[in-house]
Amino acid sequence: MSSKNTFMLDGVAIEFSEGDTIMDAALRSGSYIPHLCHNPEFRPHGSCRVCVVNINGRQVSSCTQPASAGLEVDNSSEDLVQERRNLLQMLFVEGNHVCPGCEKSGACQLQAVAYYTGMLSPQYTHFFPQRSVDASHPDTAIDFNRCILCELCVRASRDVDHKDVFSISGRGIGSHLVVNSPSGKLGDSAFAATDKAAHVCPVGAILPKHRGYEQPIGSRLYDRSPISIVGDVAAHESDDQGDTHGR
Ligand code: SF4
Ligand code: FES
């Protein structure tokens, strides 16, 4: 391994190629950096900040930060983990995430990353936003209560499906996912259950109909092994409940 093409991640040498981000190189080497809005199949988005790492005392998003030789990257100090916990706690209170009642529980990246970071409670006051469920499409439902605004469905529909079914509207706390159709309903859009956008949601916001709870609770993807070992739901498309919708 040439030192010219390596950086250190928690004291471990990580090889990288020209154009890699820290996240790219880490994931390829089998080193886990927590993330939610990142999916290696798409251009980095840099919005959730869960992938934050320390470099020379500066916090950067590892999914957007270019790798360079000789970097000393901290991915595990207590301060950093606490920062991630705070971000996750905000995500939990901003939406309505009722894990025991969610079909994606056990195969949800938000839940799995929260477990990984040792988050024990939301800590902050719940916002309890008023959000809807769109069951207008024959094959797919959207529960906006669970959306974490990662924009993976937006990117998938735009860049892979070439349909632009989804977009984000509003700013700050008013940001929300919208369906681009005359009525604003999914059933009135060009969306199809075979679209890439139907298989990228890291949480239980975009769910297939007609196949609920196929994998029993207790034997789902992250029930079996932590996310640091098994990786994204996206890597387990044909596996189980984690895969039916999450990618
Ligand atoms: Fe991300 Fe899912 Fe929300 Fe789309 S519906 S923005 S994929 S959390
Ligand atoms: Fe890097 Fe979301 S995974 S900002």
Side-chain angles (χ1 to χ4, degrees), residues 5 53 61 63 83 87 89 94 96 141 169 175 183 203 211 220-222 234 236-237:
N5 292 317
V53 292
S61 296
C63 70
E83 175 82 13
L87 290 164
Q89 286 167 325
E94 280 170 7
N96 296 311
S169 182
S175 298
S183 63
V203 295
R211 53 186 298 188
R220 296 178 178 178
L221 187 62
Y222 302 128
H236 299 268
E237 181 146 339

Side-chain angles (χ1 to χ4, degrees), residues 186-244:
L186 192 65
D188 198 20
S189 75
F191 180 88
T194 50
D195 287 355
K196 185 71 175 174
H199 303 279
V200 293
C201 185
V203 295
I206 298 181
L207 292 171
K209 291 182 172 179
H210 319 300
R211 53 186 298 188
Y213 296 94
E214 285 184 319
Q215 188 74 18
I217 291 171
S219 60
R220 296 178 178 178
L221 187 62
Y222 302 128
D223 293 332
R224 302 193 297 264
S225 298
I227 192 168
S228 56
I229 303 296
V230 296
D232 292 5
V233 184
H236 299 268
E237 181 146 339
S238 60
D239 189 5
D240 66 3
Q241 192 81 13
D243 25 309
T244 52

Side-chain angles (χ1 to χ4, degrees), residues 91 95-105 108 110 129 131-133 141-150 201-207 213 245:
L91 284 173
N96 296 311
H97 300 280
V98 188
C99 298
C102 179
E103 189 182 330
K104 198 67 174 284
S105 184
C108 166
L110 176 64
R131 295 196 191 154
S132 61
V133 175
I142 302 182
D143 188 337
F144 292 96
N145 292 287
R146 301 169 183 160
C147 177
I148 58 171
L149 300 174
C150 70
C201 185
V203 295
I206 298 181
L207 292 171
Y213 296 94
H245 0 280

Side-chain angles (χ1 to χ4, degrees), residues 97-161:
H97 300 280
V98 188
C99 298
C102 179
E103 189 182 330
K104 198 67 174 284
S105 184
C108 166
Q109 284 182 226
L110 176 64
Q111 185 189 52
V113 174
Y115 278 131
Y116 177 78
T117 60
M119 188 192 121
L120 297 177
S121 74
Q123 179 182 328
Y124 303 113
T125 303
H126 283 273
F127 290 15
F128 294 125
Q130 295 278 317
R131 295 196 191 154
S132 61
V133 175
D134 180 348
S136 60
H137 192 279
D139 302 315
T140 303
I142 302 182
D143 188 337
F144 292 96
N145 292 287
R146 301 169 183 160
C147 177
I148 58 171
L149 300 174
C150 70
E151 296 198 33
L152 277 167
C153 60
V154 176
R155 287 176 272 169
S157 184
R158 181 190 62 214
D159 302 340
V160 180
D161 306 326

